[in-house]
Amino acid sequence: EMISMSLLAMAIQKLGFPVVSLTGWQIGLETNSNYSDARIKRIAGERLKAELDNGRIVIVAGFQGINQMGDVAPLGRGGSDTTAVAIAATLGADLCQIYTDVDGVYTADPRIVKDAKKLDAITYDEMLDLATLGAGVLHNRSVEMAKKYGVPLVVRSSLNESEGTVVKEVVKKMERMLISGVALDKDADRISVIGIKDAPGSAFKLFNTLAKKNINVDIIIQSVGREGTKDISFTVAHDNLKEAIELLEEYQEVLGFERVDYNCEVAKLSIVGAGMMSNPGVAAKMFECLYNENVNINMIATSEIRITVLVNSEDAVRAMNAVHDAFGLAEA
């Protein structure tokens, strides 16, 4: 990031424009002390505003800031997008444009679904769910910050002059669209804790143990209790699987369960859309589509604007294309 911005500043200066390149600590980008995945606490902004007031183009290295001990702390995945949104919020900008290798936000990954269509606009909530559920065009941290501070985003291509996709609070067309997109996450693994005690606090102890090690879980299903025990299944990112299994086995006696097993051959398939809130039957339509494709559903999770199912990996791409067609997203 620092080398790239310096070279870019040199190129702009040769074109005859006043320019300055700054690191995160030079603009007062303060973070917490988590070196592997630091979170932005605040941006002082005085240096930024002063340079802009002096008529200079300001180039800032994303991905890193400075923590309370004065050390450089990287922001982790999505750090560059998140830095851009944080700067826009600090400056009270009217717009934050994110340039990437695609023309905008599509109804599905165009590399998987050939007839996926680019959306002119999408809401923060829809984009946040799509980003969290596998759409790689924006990182969910940047969308969270944009929503929090009301910064409109535009996702545009760095390769052409396409208008891109606007991400904002309200989209006029959303009532006419049942769903806005389909996302596929192949990075999900299923863990099942078998025979855990069917008593108050057992689920808390289980997930608190995982949370203390910063292991995020997503889809959660708990079985009906039987003979004083129950089963709890959930999904984790593939990178967290080994650590989660070892942790559960270490605390097996404390948590009080019989055994733990897992399945790596699964994927999360999700549909997202604000139109779900006012249209019944969306889940039934999705499940009917998967039934017609002979795709088995292992787990289900829902919210007001999304439905996520866990399917076998070998069925995932076929299921994604079928669901995209079933909801008419090719004509979006």
Side-chain angles (χ1 to χ4, degrees), residues 39-195:
R39 292 296 191 265
I40 298 174
K41 295 170 67 176
R42 67 184 289 269
I43 295 180
E46 287 82 3
R47 176 77 186 275
L48 265 176
K49 294 171 184 175
E51 297 292 354
L52 291 170
D53 289 342
N54 287 328
R56 292 188 178 92
I57 296 170
V58 182
I59 302 173
V60 180
F63 200 76
Q64 46 78 33
I66 188 167
N67 63 24
Q68 61 188 9
M69 293 173 285
D71 301 328
V72 174
L75 301 179
R77 289 187 60 192
S80 295
D81 290 354
T82 306
T83 302
V85 176
I87 290 172
T90 298
L91 296 174
D94 296 326
L95 196 66
C96 178
Q97 295 181 324
I98 304 292
Y99 286 85
T100 180
D101 58 352
V102 294
D103 294 344
V105 181
Y106 281 73
T107 53
D109 188 335
R111 296 169 298 180
I112 300 175
V113 180
K114 300 304 181 184
D115 57 358
K117 299 296 182 182
K118 182 172 72 70
L119 298 168
D120 294 330
I122 190 170
T123 67
Y124 291 126
D125 289 337
E126 290 172 320
M127 189 67 248
L128 181 56
D129 269 356
L130 285 173
T132 303
L133 296 165
V137 65
L138 279 177
H139 197 274
N140 58 353
R141 287 171 61 186
S142 65
V143 182
E144 284 177 349
M145 185 167 291
K147 176 178 172 60
K148 180 178 180 180
Y149 293 101
V151 178
L153 297 177
V154 178
V155 182
R156 304 187 65 171
S157 172
S158 57
L159 306 175
N160 57 52
E161 297 297 322
S162 173
E163 288 298 320
T165 301
V166 180
V167 185
K168 54 185 179 179
E169 186 66 42
V170 178
V171 175
K172 292 181 180 179
K173 292 183 179 180
M174 70 180 184
E175 288 188 353
R176 286 183 281 164
M177 292 182 65
L178 201 58
I179 67 171
S180 296
V182 183
L184 183 64
D185 182 2
K186 297 181 180 180
D187 188 41
D189 293 337
R190 189 265 303 159
I191 296 177
S192 293
V193 178
I194 310 299

Side-chain angles (χ1 to χ4, degrees), residues 265-280:
E265 302 301 321
V266 292
K268 288 191 296 186
L269 176 66
S270 306
I271 58 174
V272 175
M276 292 185 194
M277 291 186 286
S278 55
N279 290 277

Side-chain angles (χ1 to χ4, degrees), residues 187-330:
D187 188 41
D189 293 337
R190 189 265 303 159
I191 296 177
S192 293
V193 178
I194 310 299
I196 194 168
K197 185 180 297 184
D198 186 15
S202 58
F204 161 71
K205 292 176 183 178
L206 170 63
F207 293 113
N208 188 52
T209 300
L210 296 168
K212 286 180 177 179
K213 293 294 184 178
N214 294 316
I215 298 174
N216 289 323
V217 303
D218 187 10
I219 307 176
I220 302 173
I221 288 181
Q222 177 177 294
S223 69
V224 176
R226 64 186 187 285
E227 298 180 356
T229 66
K230 58 189 176 186
D231 304 334
I232 299 179
S233 298
F234 53 92
T235 59
V236 299
H238 182 71
D239 289 345
N240 293 141
L241 177 66
K242 185 174 183 292
E243 183 181 9
I245 295 296
E246 291 176 350
L247 187 65
L248 291 173
E249 290 176 345
E250 178 184 351
Y251 285 89
Q252 180 173 0
E253 186 175 343
V254 175
L255 297 174
F257 61 86
E258 294 174 10
R259 70 179 195 280
V260 59
D261 63 28
Y262 61 92
N263 183 359
C264 299
E265 302 301 321
V266 292
K268 288 191 296 186
L269 176 66
S270 306
I271 58 174
V272 175
M276 292 185 194
M277 291 186 286
S278 55
N279 290 277
V282 176
K285 186 172 185 177
M286 181 183 188
F287 300 157
E288 179 186 23
C289 170
L290 296 177
Y291 165 72
N292 291 336
E293 289 293 319
N294 196 32
V295 175
N296 187 47
I297 299 173
N298 298 310
M299 299 172 70
I300 302 170
T302 65
S303 75
E304 286 186 330
I305 66 168
R306 65 117 163 171
I307 300 169
T308 299
V309 296
L310 199 68
V311 300
N312 296 330
S313 295
E314 60 184 9
D315 299 327
V317 172
R318 177 165 53 89
M320 185 181 192
N321 278 272
V323 169
H324 189 271
D325 290 343
F327 284 95
L329 294 179

